[in-house]
Amino acid sequence: GQNIDQPTEMTATEGAIVQINCTYQTSGFNGLFWYQQHAGEAPTFLSYNVLDGLEEKGRFSSFLSRSKGYSYLLLKELQMKDSASYLCAVSTGGGNKLTFGTGTQLKVEL
Amino acid sequence: EAGVTQSPTHLIKTRGQQVTLRCSPISGHTSVYWYQQALGLGLQFLLWYDEGEERNRGNFPPRFSGRQFPNYSSELNVNALELEDSALYLCASSLDRGRETQYFGPGTRLLVL
C-alpha cells in the first residue's frame, strides 16, 4: 500500500525558517511534489523532486532522499501569507498518479 | 493562459440523486485527473483520463465514473449520492501521461443532504 506521513500542524514566526518533513512508503516512485493549499482554494504547485538532493526556488526549497523515503520543504523568510496547508504527494505508476499526505497546516504568527 | 476551470463551484444534492461535475484542462494538456478531498482528509485519487480513455482509477465504487471528450475536457459523474460523498472535488491537468506536474482547478464543493 501507499503511506505518506506529515506533521498535522506547525507554528512559526514571521521572518523565520520552517522545515516541513514528509516520509513515504510507496509501491513505485516517479517523483515527489509539494503543493500549497490555502483554505477553500485549490492546491498550487510548489516543487518537484525526482533525484536526490535539494531544489531551490526563491524562498522555497525542497529536499529528497529516495533511499530514506524522506523529503522536506524549507520555507525561508516566512510571511503571513505563507499560512496554509502544505501537501506532500508522491507520484507512482504509469501516468503520474499522485498519492497525497493529509497535509501540514502551517500557521505563521507575528 | 487560462488555468484549469471547473463547474459548478458549489452544488447541493440529496441522497440518491446523481451529479455531473465538469472540468476544462489547461490548453495543450491531454491528461485530466479527478480527486476527492473530504473534510479533514487528504486528497484521494479518483480517476485519470488521457486521450479520451480511462487509464486508472482509485479505490472508489463504480458509481463514480466519468469520461473525457475529444477536446480533453472531462466530466465526473456520481450516481446514488451518499452523505459521505460531500467533499471538494478537484480536477487537475498535465501535459501528457508522463511525469508532468499536475495543475489544479478551483474545485467543486458538493454537499449531500
Side-chain angles (χ1 to χ4, degrees):
Chain A
Q2 319 283 51
N3 190 46
I4 299 177
D5 287 317
Q6 308 176 233
T8 305
E9 295 179 338
M10 297 183 72
T11 301
T13 306
E14 189 179 34
I17 299 172
V18 71
Q19 178 174 312
I20 302 174
N21 296 324
C22 171
T23 58
Y24 63 90
Q25 290 176 305
T26 58
S27 304
F29 180 85
N30 295 333
L32 189 143
F33 293 82
W34 284 95
Y35 285 85
Q36 179 193 60
Q37 187 177 26
H38 285 98
E41 297 181 11
T44 56
F45 169 74
L46 289 178
S47 69
Y48 173 52
N49 293 72
V50 62
L51 300 176
D52 288 356
L54 188 68
E55 294 281 342
E56 297 186 81
K57 190 185 294 186
R59 295 190 299 116
F60 292 64
S61 303
S62 56
F63 172 84
L64 174 67
S65 169
R66 288 175 298 173
S67 62
K68 295 182 180 178
Y70 168 69
S71 173
Y72 67 72
L73 180 69
L74 194 71
L75 291 77
K76 304 175 187 175
E77 302 170 14
L78 281 172
Q79 302 174 10
M80 299 298 289
K81 67 178 182 180
D82 297 330
S83 293
S85 182
Y86 290 85
L87 310 177
C88 173
V90 175
S91 169
T92 61
N96 200 20
K97 172 187 171 182
L98 291 182
T99 301
F100 282 83
T102 52
T104 298
Q105 188 65 44
L106 174 66
K107 183 179 179 182
V108 180
E109 298 178 328
L110 290 171
Chain B
E1 179 181 290
V4 178
T5 59
Q6 292 186 244
S7 63
T9 56
H10 295 82
L11 208 50
I12 300 175
K13 293 284 188 178
T14 56
R15 284 176 59 190
Q17 286 189 307
Q18 178 266 343
V19 68
T20 297
L21 311 180
R22 294 177 176 82
C23 170
S24 291
I26 291 171
S27 178
H29 286 193
T30 61
S31 272
V32 171
Y33 305 80
W34 287 95
Y35 293 87
Q36 181 195 66
Q37 188 175 33
L39 195 62
L41 298 179
L43 277 78
Q44 302 291 319
F45 169 74
L46 266 166
L47 290 159
W48 165 43
Y49 292 95
D50 182 75
E51 297 288 352
E53 299 283 334
E54 181 181 302
R55 303 293 182 180
N56 202 353
R57 66 179 293 129
N59 295 326
F60 283 84
R63 57 191 186 83
F64 287 84
S65 65
R67 54 180 173 167
Q68 186 178 33
F69 299 97
N71 66 354
Y72 304 113
S73 66
S74 176
E75 285 182 350
L76 174 69
N77 298 293
V78 187
N79 294 321
L81 283 167
E82 300 178 2
L83 296 179
E84 53 265 34
D85 296 334
S86 295
L88 179 67
Y89 289 84
L90 291 162
C91 170
S93 73
S94 69
L95 267 174
D96 58 30
R97 56 174 155 168
R99 302 173 187 181
E100 297 292 337
T101 299
Q102 294 180 27
Y103 295 91
F104 285 83
T108 294
R109 191 164 295 280
L110 172 65
L111 178 61
V112 182
L113 301 174

